[in-house]
Amino acid sequence: MKVVLPSPLVSYTAGRREVQAAGATLAEVLADLDRQFPGIRFRMIDEQDAIRQHIRIFVNREPAPGLAAALASTDEVLIIAALSGG
Amino acid sequence: MIDPRDRRTVLAAVRAGHLGPTVMRSTDLGKTWKEAAKPPAFPKAPEGEAGESVHHVFWLTPGHARNPGRWYAGTSPQALFQSDDAGVTWQGVAGFNEHPMRDKWINKGEEGPPDGATLHSINVDPFDPRHLVIGMSMGGVFESRDEGKSWKPLNRGVEANFLPDPEAEYGHDPHCVRVSAAAPGVVYQQNHCGIYRLDRKADRWTRIGDNMPKAVGDIGFPMVLHPRDPNTLWVFPMDGTTVWPRVPIGGKPAAFRSRDAGNSWKRLDQGLPKGQGWFTVKRQSMMADALDPVGLYFGTTGGEVWASFDEGDNWHCVVQHLPEIYAVETALVA
């Protein structure tokens, strides 16, 4: 499925904003992303599997309910680095 | 922080606002950088239990010359991590992070120093690679004699005017702790409650800050030691009265130097602003080099770097217009 990344993460993907990843859940998609682009998952998800404070993840433009959310191969995952500060 | 063992590897603690904490590595003196493959992180907690997450890496220290590739990192929440492959992968130091007293030693509350309670001042004794001394803001000084396997508080004699027990074993607030490379067993600290010296043959600190001018006091953040003379040290006092503005006393910045282990102090302000100098010098932002005479360098929260090439007698502003400076390090690279 298509995964759209925010600009702070494109240093892991050689500049690509859109990448492909596979998995039946959001957790599996993030694990696949990390296999392809080592280190990228820890920038979004901390060691306790919590989504980092300023990261938002949407599936088909709806907020993802959690890492266990089931996904279909036609879904689109949108990852956003939320604005912080002034 | 540059590795003095190879003079090429540089490690930097990074916390990008959106992307969390990590450690970046350069093996070409900063020309190119790569992220650590396994940055410092706590173990995943069992299902249903709350685990800890590293908020930021605050302190990096290269290991002893006898342990090439060894590095230590201190974090907030307060924990100690170790790398044995020059910073590529990091593991928790179980002797500290899983110590049965750690929950009591560290500051887990919301109240704490600005930017969070940190584990800082990781010292590897130059005379004994198994001897480690660390400091924790809101925690105290702790010591290991077995390379981090076991730890004990080392705070006797240090005031903690925010604790009810005047002889508290831990809970103190060291700002910067330095183990001397010039003589075995000599340790100094700049604490929230004064400047102290410890001869490690004993286990009770002496408040050498009492010998500072009363109008200046002995509150500050950095502690800088002479590389070859165990009796020479420098501090940079801050206004620690009432509301703790953390600025030079009266807006008149000055370093102070002692050449007799803190029995007497000399004000060093030649070249520094004579007034309206309201910056702060943070605990990692003042360092000495190893030259003769010793060069001193400090960075300010206003983005300036000041240098002295004569052990503090005269100061020169050598860099301006940087962002707030958190750390200054020196290294001989050729």
Side-chain angles (χ1 to χ4, degrees):
Chain A
M1 71 196 67
K2 183 165 86 174
V3 179
V4 181
L5 298 168
S7 56
L9 287 173
V10 299
S11 62
Y12 291 85
T13 59
R16 290 155 64 197
R17 290 290 302 270
E18 292 186 13
V19 297
Q20 292 290 318
T25 63
L26 184 54
E28 290 180 13
V29 166
L30 292 172
D32 187 40
L33 275 180
D34 202 60
R35 274 190 291 276
Q36 299 180 62
F37 312 109
I40 196 170
R41 182 184 185 276
F42 194 56
R43 303 273 63 85
M44 300 181 273
I45 311 293
D46 75 14
E47 58 263 59
Q48 304 306 332
D49 284 345
I51 299 173
R52 293 197 183 279
Q53 186 182 8
H54 296 293
I55 294 290
R56 300 285 182 272
I57 302 179
F58 297 83
V59 177
N60 300 329
R61 307 206 167 200
E62 293 294 326
L67 297 187
L71 299 180
S73 61
T74 53
D75 287 339
E76 177 183 289
V77 176
L78 177 63
I79 298 167
I80 290 177
L83 288 175
S84 61
Chain B
M1 170 65 76
I2 190 167
D3 191 337
R5 296 162 295 188
D6 69 3
R7 298 185 179 184
R8 294 194 63 78
T9 301
V10 185
L11 264 56
V14 173
R15 183 178 185 276
H18 296 84
L19 303 178
T22 194
V23 170
M24 299 296 288
R25 302 176 63 251
S26 172
T27 53
D28 54 11
L29 278 176
K31 290 189 185 75
T32 59
W33 293 85
K34 278 185 78 171
E35 187 185 358
K38 184 173 177 284
F42 290 98
K44 173 89 165 70
E47 202 62 39
E49 291 182 27
E52 293 176 282
S53 299
V54 172
H55 181 269
H56 60 278
V57 176
F58 184 76
W59 194 280
L60 292 164
T61 292
H64 196 277
R66 285 187 220 160
N67 294 323
R70 169 78 56 86
W71 283 76
Y72 294 97
T75 60
S76 179
Q78 290 155 319
L80 185 62
F81 292 84
Q82 179 177 320
S83 171
D84 284 304
D85 55 11
V88 178
T89 62
W90 293 85
Q91 302 79 37
V93 175
F96 186 84
N97 295 356
E98 296 168 24
H99 196 287
M101 287 293 290
R102 175 174 170 263
D103 268 5
K104 290 191 167 25
W105 288 346
I106 71 168
N107 174 25
K108 284 184 128 172
E110 292 293 313
E111 291 295 318
D115 302 326
T118 55
L119 191 151
H120 58 76
S121 300
I122 304 169
N123 289 268
V124 181
D125 189 337
F127 298 95
D128 178 2
R130 297 172 61 77
H131 183 210
L132 307 176
V133 176
I134 63 167
M136 290 196 292
S137 48
M138 304 294 286
V141 178
F142 294 81
E143 178 183 57
S144 172
R145 292 280 185 185
D146 53 11
E147 221 167 4
K149 292 183 183 65
S150 65
W151 293 85
K152 284 183 178 171
L154 188 60
N155 299 297
R156 290 188 64 213
V158 178
E159 185 183 350
N161 58 18
F162 44 86
L163 296 175
D165 180 359
E167 285 290 329
E169 193 181 7
Y170 51 85
H172 302 70
D173 193 17
H175 289 169
C176 190
V177 187
R178 299 286 186 186
V179 172
S180 176
V186 176
V187 190
Y188 292 93
Q189 69 163 300
Q190 171 69 70
N191 189 283
H192 182 98
C193 299
I195 305 166
Y196 296 82
R197 182 182 194 275
L198 173 67
D199 182 336
R200 199 52 200 92
K201 281 175 270 185
D203 66 354
R204 191 171 185 88
W205 296 83
T206 301
R207 188 166 184 170
I208 56 176
D210 284 341
N211 304 319
M212 288 278 286
K214 291 290 174 263
V216 174
D218 63 345
I219 306 305
F221 295 102
M223 165 60 68
V224 181
L225 306 188
H226 194 289
R228 294 173 297 276
D229 176 2
N231 295 321
T232 294
L233 63 152
W234 295 265
V235 293
F236 206 100
M238 291 284 148
D239 186 341
T241 59
T242 57
V243 297
W244 266 75
R246 296 181 168 86
V247 293
I249 295 96
K252 297 175 180 173
F256 278 73
R257 178 182 62 211
S258 175
R259 292 214 183 268
D260 53 11
N263 289 320
S264 64
W265 298 88
K266 183 180 181 186
R267 183 182 179 92
L268 307 169
D269 60 4
Q270 285 296 316
L272 293 173
K274 296 298 178 200
Q276 302 298 330
W278 300 109
F279 51 74
T280 298
V281 179
K282 296 195 164 189
R283 73 192 77 200
Q284 296 175 83
S285 295
M286 186 171 177
M287 287 296 286
D289 64 25
L291 300 176
D292 187 11
V294 170
L296 294 169
Y297 311 86
F298 70 82
T300 75
T301 47
E304 293 177 341
V305 178
W306 290 77
S308 169
F309 307 110
D310 51 13
E311 308 208 342
D313 288 336
N314 294 281
W315 292 96
H316 316 273
C317 184
V318 294
V319 182
Q320 288 180 294
H321 312 307
L322 293 175
E324 177 178 357
I325 294 172
Y326 287 89
V328 171
E329 294 290 342
T330 66
L332 287 172
V333 295

